Each structure stands twice: as C-alpha cells, then as structure tokens.
Amino acid sequence: MSKTPNSIVILDFGGQYTQLIARRIREARVFSVVLPPDASAEEIRKWNPAGIILSGGPQSVYEEGAPRPIPQLLEQGLPTLGLCYGMQWIAHALGGEVIPQGREYGRAVVRIVSDSPLFSGLEERQTVWMNHGDSVGKPPAGFRVIGQSDSSPVAAFENRERGIYALQFHPEVRHTEHGAAILENFLFHVCQVKPDWTMASFREEKVAQIRRQAPAGAVVCALSGGVDSSVTAVLLREALGERVHPILVDHGLMRAQESQNVVEAFRHLGIAVHRVDASDLFLSRLSGVVDPEEKRRIIGRSFIEVFEREAKSIPGAKYLAQGTLYPDVIESVSIKGPSAVIKTHHNVGGLPEKLGLELIEPVRELFKDEVRQLGADLGLPADFLRRHPFPGPGLAVRIPGEVTGEKVALLQKADVIVLDEIRAAGLYDAISQAFAVLLPVRSVGVMGDARTHEYVLAVRAVQTTDFMTADWFRMPHEVLDAIAARVTREVRGINRVVYDVTSKPPATIEWE
C-alpha cells in the first residue's frame, strides 16, 4: 500500500448493500476494503486508510449481540461516514437518541437544510433510498442536522470539526439519484484522497507481491476454465514463469466440451494444462444426494481429494493459487460475522491446510468486472473474457435434486442450444449471465402421435453490473420461441421450456 493514506476501509455491519459501497468507491478510482465490524485498530491501520465508512445492517443498536466497532474507532482522527445502521451506531455511541420507528423501505425525498461538504454542488431536494427500522431522534451533542425527510427529521448529520458524517439513507444504491456524487464528496472533499487506483498500478503491485511471496518453488494453480482462475493463471505466469503449473480437475459437470476447449485455449497462450478426468468419481458420490449445500460440500471435498493427489506429482510444489474473488471472500467470511450466508463458495478454504501449501490468491481483492479488465491488460482474448460466469460446482447447481449422468448429458445439450440462440440473436453481450436449469419435475407432452412424460427446462437470463443484485432479462419472444422449439425437437427427454422472471433479490442468480 502507498505511504500516503489513499484507501477507504468499510466496516461491514451485515447490510445487504455492503459490497455495493466497495464497488462505488472503486468506481471512483479509490481502493476500498471491507473488514468485519469489530476489526482491530491494527487491522484498520494496515490498510493505511484515508477514511472509514460504516455500513448498514439489519439489527437494532439496542439488540443483544448487535455488531459494534472497537470503542476508540471515532477517536482515531479519521474521517468517518455512517450509513443507516452505521449512522445509528454513531448516534448511540456518542450520546444521541435512537428510536424505533417502524420499517421505512423505498424512495423518499431528503431536503438539505444546512451547508455540508457531503452535499456540495447538489440540489436542495433529492430522491434517496431508505431501508431502516430504527432512526435517529436526536444527534449527539456537537453535531448538527444537515438533511431531513418527512419521515426522518434527522436524515443526515455531521460534526465537521471531528470529520464525522452520517446518512440515514443509502447513497450506494442506484435509486439514490445523487448517491455517487455524495460518496465522491466524502472521498475527495472530506477524506481528500486522489482518484489514482488503476488496474495498471494493481497489476504492477501484484506481480511484485507474488514474486516476494513465492521467491522459489513451484506453484500449482487450480484452473476451472472460468475467467477468474484463467486470469489468475496468466498473472502468475507473468510473475513466476515456468514455475506455475495449472491443474484442471474435470468433475464431469462442465459445459459440453468445456474442459477440452480450456486446454486448447491455454495451449495457444503457451501454457500447458494438466487435465484430470474425475467425472466418474464425482457422479458416483453425488448419487442420491438432493440437498444443495450437501452437493456443494461433496463436490468441494472430492475436488480437494483429486487435486491433492495431482498436486503431489508436481516436483517442488510449495504454493497453491486459486481465483478467489472479493465477493467470495466477503460472503464466506460472513459465516463468522453479521452478514447472512447465502451459499457455500466452492473455492474458499480447505485446500491449503490439506496440502500443506501456502495460499496465493492474487485477485481476491477484485470484483468480476475488474478481473475482466485485468485479463484484457494481460492479453487474454476478448471473447474469452466476455464469457458468462460459470459456477465452481458446475451443472450440479443447475440440476435441482439428484445429479445423474443422464441429467448432466441432457442439460449439456440444452445449454448449448440456449447459448447458441442467444448469440445468434446478438444478445449475448447484453446479458450478464444466461443458462439452463433442468428441473426435477416431468410434464406430460405430445410428440407426433405419442404421449411423452419428460423433464422441464428453465431458462434464466439476468442483467447486472456487480452480481450482488440483478434484474431478469426481458428476452424477446422470438428468441424464447427458437430456444423452446430447438430444445424440444433436438433434446430427447425434455418436452417443456419455461422462463425465469425473478430478480435478485428475492431469488439468487443460480437456482442452488
């Protein structure tokens, strides 16, 4: 990190928008990091922050076990911005009044009632997004109200001398019309950071860091063929050359011809991939299993077992590299923190301890779009980087219920058709992620003069900028018609196609 404070630390109180705060800060070209709410002063100082943001959260400051930062947090002289729960905690900690109000959710109009660097250059009335239960009835002594709404007389307050600011609403969500400007005012007017965090500087710093971490010895790299692990492998090759050994464990749950295509793509990059076909092992262990989390655990354990065996064949292996992303880190760490865990992540934990290798995760500080940008800088082909995300457990999480070889084969054929028709319509790049799901139900149909009783295929397509929230894609009817016609005609075993029109939240993007 730079000696000049030029990053922002975000303390996560369990709010659903915490990752969005980090994204908005990085969009302003300032590095941000998310830490647990009770992060120590030493852990905070390690990131050399120019300011701190306290996130929202679902709890009341009066609840037993509600998250609380270290007592001296507000005495460190760092500019601090509290959002929603973060605002309420500041008020409570400094002697203000927090009152139960009843949940307020949705758009509201906030009036700026006092001059503030937070609202510099903004109009007096603005639409914001509220999502809170408690509210601040009275700010702490020495603070003044700078924003009000009809339902929140204290919608924002500040103590400019102490550098402490707070908002009851969420500037990080798109529904707050000037949210980005408010956050940038905090960054550049209050914290006085410079917008100098770029992918080029990250790449240079990361290559140097990898070389320091792995001065000698071989590195085995867990390669899935997805963007994250592929960028990891190429970045490691730039840093360490021939000491990097990518291993692709084919669990039989990949897209049709996917593992062969990955090996060929890396061959063109001058990187040899060690591919292991373990499909029989994975499918046998998944037999009879229907619980989504148990399927993920079985796949994770089996992956570790196969990878361990193959890694031991690499002479002088001392390090393990994997393409963990920042959202994976935040969501997996939240098992011990306030945030709700939605699902277990396939690539976090397990392997280093099992193998006795030191872990290298060079892109763990990046979001998906940032990894794609880094991959472009490293020379990966654009069509490769534009590929839609594919889950670590593969098609197992797109087959609700028991996973069998027959179901995998059906889904592979159908998935090819879905993506072919989306590409043919010129929609692939307009969609963030599209895929097929083989449902654990059969429906009655008719083909020719015969009655059929076959599987139902669901098609899912979403648009998103960060994969933390997503809206379902309004697929043209003629494309859906083409998909349904081809699937029911070409994939024997599927006689019905449906389209998923649920956004995230309340649904997740994947079905399991």
Side-chain angles (χ1 to χ4, degrees):
M1 301 296 297
S2 166
K3 290 184 179 180
T4 302
N6 209 36
S7 67
I8 299 296
V9 164
I10 301 161
L11 297 188
D12 178 15
F13 290 106
Q16 61 179 309
Y17 304 133
T18 300
Q19 291 186 34
L20 280 176
I21 303 171
R23 289 292 300 118
R24 300 298 174 250
I25 302 303
R26 293 190 186 189
E27 287 169 1
R29 295 180 58 198
V30 175
F31 182 74
S32 61
V33 61
V34 177
L35 299 180
D38 57 352
S40 67
E42 181 182 9
E43 174 67 8
I44 293 172
R45 281 196 301 270
K46 184 181 83 173
W47 294 98
N48 199 21
I52 296 176
I53 295 179
L54 311 181
S55 84
Q59 294 175 278
S60 166
V61 293
Y62 297 114
E63 285 183 37
E64 185 177 350
R68 289 177 173 79
I70 55 174
Q72 65 270 35
L73 180 74
L74 300 176
E75 309 303 326
Q76 297 187 103
L78 286 172
T80 301
L81 173 62
L83 305 178
C84 195
Y85 178 95
M87 174 191 196
Q88 295 157 19
W89 177 82
I90 290 172
H92 182 65
L94 297 180
E97 180 186 24
V98 178
I99 55 175
Q101 184 188 34
R103 178 151 298 279
E104 181 183 14
Y105 180 83
R107 288 180 173 84
V109 174
V110 162
R111 301 179 301 279
I112 299 172
V113 296
S114 293
D115 234 12
S116 172
L118 274 193
F119 300 131
S120 176
L122 301 181
E123 56 206 53
E124 183 181 330
R125 296 170 64 87
Q126 50 193 285
T127 301
V128 303
W129 185 258
M130 295 283 192
N131 182 13
H132 62 98
D134 294 352
S135 61
V136 176
K138 184 172 68 174
F143 286 71
R144 63 173 185 157
V145 176
I146 56 175
Q148 296 179 325
S149 72
D150 290 343
S151 56
S152 296
V154 186
F157 64 67
E158 71 171 16
N159 183 317
R160 205 174 302 187
E161 293 71 29
R162 296 182 65 177
I164 299 175
Y165 301 80
L167 304 172
Q168 184 59 77
F169 56 90
H170 291 272
E172 68 272 23
V173 302
R174 300 295 188 193
H175 303 310
T176 297
E177 61 180 332
H178 298 306
I182 293 170
L183 288 174
E184 288 178 8
N185 281 339
F186 177 69
L187 296 176
F188 305 130
H189 294 174
V190 178
C191 301
Q192 298 186 339
V193 294
K194 291 185 172 59
D196 60 4
W197 189 70
T198 65
M199 196 49 63
S201 64
F202 175 87
R203 174 182 174 183
E204 182 180 351
E205 181 180 325
K206 190 56 64 174
V207 165
Q209 181 182 324
I210 292 169
R211 288 171 179 166
R212 288 193 302 270
Q213 184 178 357
V219 179
V220 290
C221 180
L223 182 66
S224 69
V227 172
D228 312 331
S229 64
S230 298
V231 170
T232 295
V234 177
L235 180 63
L236 284 165
R237 178 57 67 98
E238 177 176 76
L240 304 176
E242 299 294 327
R243 291 196 283 134
V244 179
H245 301 268
I247 298 176
L248 172 62
V249 176
D250 184 352
H251 46 34
L253 303 166
M254 302 176 79
R255 296 186 183 103
Q257 306 300 315
E258 179 82 358
S259 63
Q260 298 93 319
N261 293 340
V262 169
V263 172
E264 183 65 18
F266 271 78
R267 187 181 67 79
H268 285 299
L269 293 171
I271 301 175
V273 174
H274 178 56
R275 173 178 172 264
V276 186
D277 184 356
S279 52
D280 290 343
L281 172 69
F282 281 81
L283 287 172
S284 66
R285 291 183 177 177
L286 289 169
S287 177
V289 179
V290 298
D291 179 72
E293 280 296 290
E294 183 60 21
K295 287 197 287 188
R296 285 177 174 270
R297 282 191 289 268
I298 288 170
I299 293 169
R301 287 196 300 265
S302 301
F303 176 83
I304 290 171
E305 179 183 319
V306 175
F307 195 93
E308 177 186 17
R309 183 183 69 231
E310 300 302 322
K312 285 180 176 177
S313 69
I314 306 297
K318 292 185 179 180
Y319 306 91
L320 166 70
Q322 58 183 18
T324 305
L325 294 193
Y326 204 40
D328 299 342
V329 174
I330 295 171
E331 289 187 16
S332 296
V333 168
S334 72
I335 291 170
K336 302 176 220 174
S339 298
V341 178
I342 307 302
K343 59 190 177 184
T344 301
H345 287 281
H346 177 56
N347 59 338
V348 179
L351 272 171
E353 296 83 356
K354 186 78 173 173
L355 292 172
L357 302 178
E358 185 178 337
L359 186 62
I360 300 177
E361 294 177 310
V363 297
R364 68 177 279 124
E365 297 160 5
L366 300 182
F367 290 89
K368 175 70 76 174
D369 60 320
E370 295 168 336
V371 171
R372 287 195 171 105
Q373 184 183 342
L374 176 59
D377 290 350
L378 288 165
L380 282 165
D383 58 347
F384 186 90
L385 294 171
R386 288 200 308 268
R387 290 195 310 169
H388 293 175
F390 190 68
L395 298 179
V397 297
R398 295 177 180 174
I399 302 176
E402 182 184 11
V403 178
T404 66
E406 175 205 8
K407 291 180 180 179
V408 170
L410 283 175
L411 185 53
Q412 285 176 331
K413 292 175 185 176
D415 187 69
V416 168
I417 293 171
V418 170
L419 296 180
D420 277 353
E421 291 300 327
I422 287 173
R423 288 190 178 98
L427 296 173
Y428 188 82
D429 290 338
I431 298 171
S432 304
Q433 190 170 358
F435 55 90
V437 180
L438 189 68
L439 301 185
V441 293
R442 293 176 184 264
S443 72
V444 173
V446 60
M447 188 166 290
D449 294 323
R451 174 187 181 274
T452 61
H453 189 229
E454 297 175 336
Y455 287 108
V456 177
L457 187 81
V459 176
R460 175 84 158 138
V462 299
Q463 286 180 310
T464 178
T465 57
D466 47 41
F467 290 90
M468 291 170 278
T469 60
D471 191 19
W472 65 276
F473 182 73
R474 273 59 176 175
M475 190 78 73
H477 289 181
E478 59 270 21
V479 179
L480 290 174
D481 184 50
I483 290 171
R486 282 193 60 193
V487 167
T488 54
R489 183 175 66 245
E490 299 176 26
V491 186
R492 186 67 180 271
I494 298 174
N495 68 358
R496 193 178 299 266
V497 177
V498 298
Y499 191 58
D500 184 347
V501 294
T502 320
S503 295
K504 176 187 179 182
T508 55
I509 293 177
E510 295 287 349
W511 276 50
E512 288 193 345

